[in-house]
């Protein structure tokens, strides 16, 4: 029994050392890199959101049509599991839409910071006057 616990302790100790994750130093990203990152994430999140919304709607409508077709005058629920899972998948698209709008806002913030396309340290502000004749 003593050898079992010692070998278990040795195994856990060696396993912890081999599976440990190496933490790398973070590199600061420039505004154009952050803009590109948030734009890419926005597109990915909106794509996933539309796919889950369309798939969930199709599953919900398919389940309801199967339920109406097979159980019009009976008291059965053949298509209800499909309809319920479709509704859940369709509602899960809300999260992806929210994350897409978050990344859109972050990309807009990076664009408005004034450093996109230019590598300058100082931001200049000015005054302009427009006269219509």
């Amino acid at each position: 029994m003593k050898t079992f616990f010692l070998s278990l302790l040795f195994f856990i100790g060696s396993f912890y050392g081999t599976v440990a994750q190496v933490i790398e130093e973070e590199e600061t990203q420039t505004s154009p890199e952050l803009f590109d990152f948030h734009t890419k994430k926005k597109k990915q999140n909106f794509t996933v959101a539309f796919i889950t919304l369309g798939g969930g709607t199709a599953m919900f409508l398919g389940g309801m049509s199967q339920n109406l077709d097979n159980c019009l005058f009976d008291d059965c629920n053949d298509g209800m599991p499909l309809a319920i899972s479709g509704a859940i998948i369709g509602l899960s698209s809300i999260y992806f839409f929210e994350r897409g709008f978050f990344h859109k806002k972050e990309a807009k913030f990076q664009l408005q910071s004034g450093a996109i396309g230019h590598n300058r340290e100082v931001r200049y502000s000015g005054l302009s006057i427009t006269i219509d004749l």
Side-chain angles (χ1 to χ4, degrees):
M1 193 67 163
K2 186 178 187 180
T3 57
F4 173 72
F5 283 123
L6 285 175
S7 60
L8 182 67
L9 183 65
F10 176 75
F11 175 73
I12 291 173
S14 64
F15 183 72
Y16 178 74
T18 59
V19 181
Q21 182 179 5
V22 177
I23 300 175
E24 298 177 5
E25 293 182 17
E26 292 184 21
E27 296 179 8
T28 57
Q29 294 179 327
T30 61
S31 289
E33 291 173 343
L34 287 172
F35 176 75
D36 293 339
F37 170 75
H38 287 297
T39 303
K40 186 176 103 176
K41 292 296 282 183
K42 174 191 73 132
K43 289 178 184 178
Q44 288 175 348
N45 282 324
F46 279 141
T47 301
V48 170
F50 282 118
I51 288 172
T52 55
L53 181 63
T57 303
M59 288 174 65
F60 178 76
L61 293 176
M64 292 306 289
S65 66
Q66 181 182 5
N67 196 26
L68 288 175
D69 187 38
N70 294 343
C71 306
L72 186 59
F73 298 112
D74 297 333
D75 192 24
C76 65
N77 293 324
D78 288 343
M80 290 310 288
L82 184 63
I84 291 171
S85 62
I88 291 171
I89 290 173
L91 288 175
S92 71
S93 69
I94 294 172
Y95 173 76
F96 295 110
F97 276 118
E98 188 269 328
R99 295 309 299 169
F101 285 121
F102 169 77
H103 285 293
K104 181 179 179 180
K105 183 178 73 171
E106 288 295 319
K108 187 176 181 182
F109 174 74
Q110 292 299 326
L111 186 62
Q112 288 177 350
S113 70
I116 301 297
H118 303 288
N119 190 8
R120 53 187 168 156
E121 298 287 328
V122 181
R123 296 186 194 115
Y124 299 100
S125 62
L127 178 67
S128 66
I129 299 174
T130 304
I131 300 174
D132 291 331
L133 298 174

